[in-house]
Amino acid sequence: MNDSGQIVSVELGSRSYSISIDTGNVAQTGVLLRTWLNLAADRPLKCFVVTDTNVLHPHANAVKKALTATGAEVRVVCVKAGEDSKSLKELSDLYDELVDFKADRKTVVIAIGGGVIGDLAGFLAATYARGLSFVQIPTTLLAMVDSSVGGKTGINHPKGKNLIGAFHQPVGVLIDIDMIATLPDREYCSGLAEVIKYGVIMDAEFFSYLENNIVGLNNRDPDVVAHIVARSCQLKAEVVQEDEFETTGLRAILNYGHTYAHAFEALGGYGALLHGEAVSIGMVCASRLARKLGRITDEDVKRQIELLRAVQLPVDVPETLQNRPDDILNCMLLDKKTVSGDLKFILPDRIGHVETIGGIDSQSVVACLS
Ligand code: NAD
Ligand code: GLY
């Protein structure tokens, strides 16, 4: 199966865009950008590139080279790698840089990095001069399969993650699979949790494909990686097309495992568990909850645990958290899906299909921690 050279379309009327998935296509950044902007080769183009300290060499430099080769004026701003950069202070510094760059309403903001850079640069683009065009060049697996698609942008408030944000769709997403090569193993595996999530929530055949390609997944086989990125983007696009602004409840299915995961991340201290690791354990807890409610079989739970384990993801709630059921419940009450104290969970009724379920007693919720 070869999915390199794929284009996935996100159909959102006047906000529609393409996701270009290939190997080595970073060299085409300038050409692709002008196509997405409908801008002739002889027209001036100002690009403001935001990246982080781990991505600058070689990836952001390659983007800069490709852009300047097509006549663009480019400013690259490099922020410190890590979640702390999704802050008001960092955003404010970037506004200063945009002013200094004499950005105008035609200036394009380009994020090259993981979800941190995508969210930060996306929110910068959403808010500067009431909205600049924005391009995502994701460099982590998580960003390729999730955060770069769908237009959620934002920064953290000291009291809560992603509390300040906006929907701002990119004009295009460029995914160069080769960029995965420099990603640390732990970050790569963390991204696989979101890939497995798509199989459980929407696509049983894709889940089976993952089960049958463990070696390729673990070895980062280029064809396997290209396929899982393309299929995940297609599935996310389907959801976003139906519920762009998260108003019908459909987009919430992307949060399978996340109600537990957000509590684990918050209580464990952000950074102790990577997001995908917390999601992996959260999916196991949610599948146990679905089993407890008689919605799925033991076999459906087992298949998820075995697949997550096979790609080196954790499946057990850390002991330090197992002893804190009340704290976990309190954290869950802050979940965006909670309405009037009624915890809502995304639960499978088979591999490949989920529903949002409320009215679950808290004893059952905490019983699924182990
Ligand atoms: P990240 O951006 O912090 O990247 C993880 C680490 O990998 C960082 O240290 C980064 O510098 C490094 N890195 C990135 N690409 C690399 C490469 N190719 N080679 C070597 N190192 C590389 O984290 P993430 O997991 O990509 O994203 C997490 C963020 O995404 C969170 O802030 C989360 O809130 C956000 N998110 C947003 C959405 C959305 O829809 N907007 C969805 C999911 C997650
Ligand atoms: N990552 C969840 C969403 O985009 O809605």
Side-chain angles (χ1 to χ4, degrees), residues 20-245:
S20 164
I21 304 163
D22 212 333
T23 50
N25 52 341
V26 70
Q28 300 302 313
T29 309
V31 176
L32 270 172
L33 186 53
R34 285 183 183 273
T35 308
W36 289 335
L37 295 167
N38 205 8
L39 193 69
D42 59 353
R43 302 298 299 154
L45 173 62
K46 272 172 94 97
C47 298
F48 187 81
V49 176
V50 183
T51 191
D52 78 25
T53 41
N54 291 332
V55 181
L56 181 64
H57 305 289
H59 306 305
N61 285 336
V63 168
K64 181 177 181 186
K65 193 171 159 206
L67 288 168
T68 44
T70 54
E73 182 189 352
V74 185
R75 160 99 44 119
V76 178
V77 179
C78 182
V79 306
K80 195 163 162 267
E83 189 70 28
D84 287 352
S85 285
K86 264 174 66 173
S87 68
L88 212 47
K89 166 77 177 78
E90 199 59 65
L91 183 70
S92 172
D93 289 350
L94 290 172
Y95 288 137
D96 292 347
E97 289 275 358
L98 272 173
V99 173
D100 186 64
F101 187 48
K102 299 189 172 45
D104 57 33
R105 303 192 77 170
K106 293 256 159 78
T107 299
V108 182
V109 174
I110 302 176
I112 169 152
V116 164
I117 294 302
D119 283 8
L120 173 68
F123 190 60
L124 177 79
T127 48
Y128 192 85
R130 298 198 182 85
L132 299 181
S133 295
F134 172 50
V135 167
Q136 290 263 23
I137 306 184
T139 62
T140 61
L141 183 59
L142 180 136
M144 290 179 184
V145 301
D146 188 359
S147 61
S148 67
V149 178
K152 281 190 182 175
T153 72
I155 57 169
N156 300 326
H157 183 274
K159 294 251 160 91
K161 207 163 135 61
N162 297 329
L163 275 185
I164 304 158
F167 285 100
H168 189 60
Q169 299 293 346
V171 295
V173 181
L174 188 157
I175 300 181
D176 186 338
I177 297 292
D178 284 348
M179 289 182 180
I180 288 281
T182 55
L183 194 62
D185 283 341
R186 207 173 150 203
E187 296 290 350
Y188 172 75
C189 293
S190 177
L192 287 176
E194 300 286 358
V195 174
I196 292 170
K197 174 195 79 179
Y198 289 114
V200 180
I201 65 173
M202 294 178 78
D203 189 345
E205 205 179 302
F206 184 49
F207 189 91
S208 300
Y209 170 88
L210 298 173
E211 289 178 314
N212 293 329
N213 284 277
I214 300 293
V215 175
L217 288 170
N218 286 333
N219 292 343
R220 309 190 193 190
D221 177 289
D223 288 343
V224 173
V225 174
H227 179 63
I228 62 171
V229 169
R231 187 63 191 138
S232 299
C233 287
Q234 280 164 357
L235 291 166
K236 179 143 188 191
E238 276 177 33
V239 173
V240 171
Q241 282 162 191
E242 291 297 312
D243 186 18
E244 182 183 2
F245 299 111

Side-chain angles (χ1 to χ4, degrees), residues 88 170 224 247 263 265 313:
L88 212 47
V224 173
T247 46
E265 284 181 284
L313 280 162

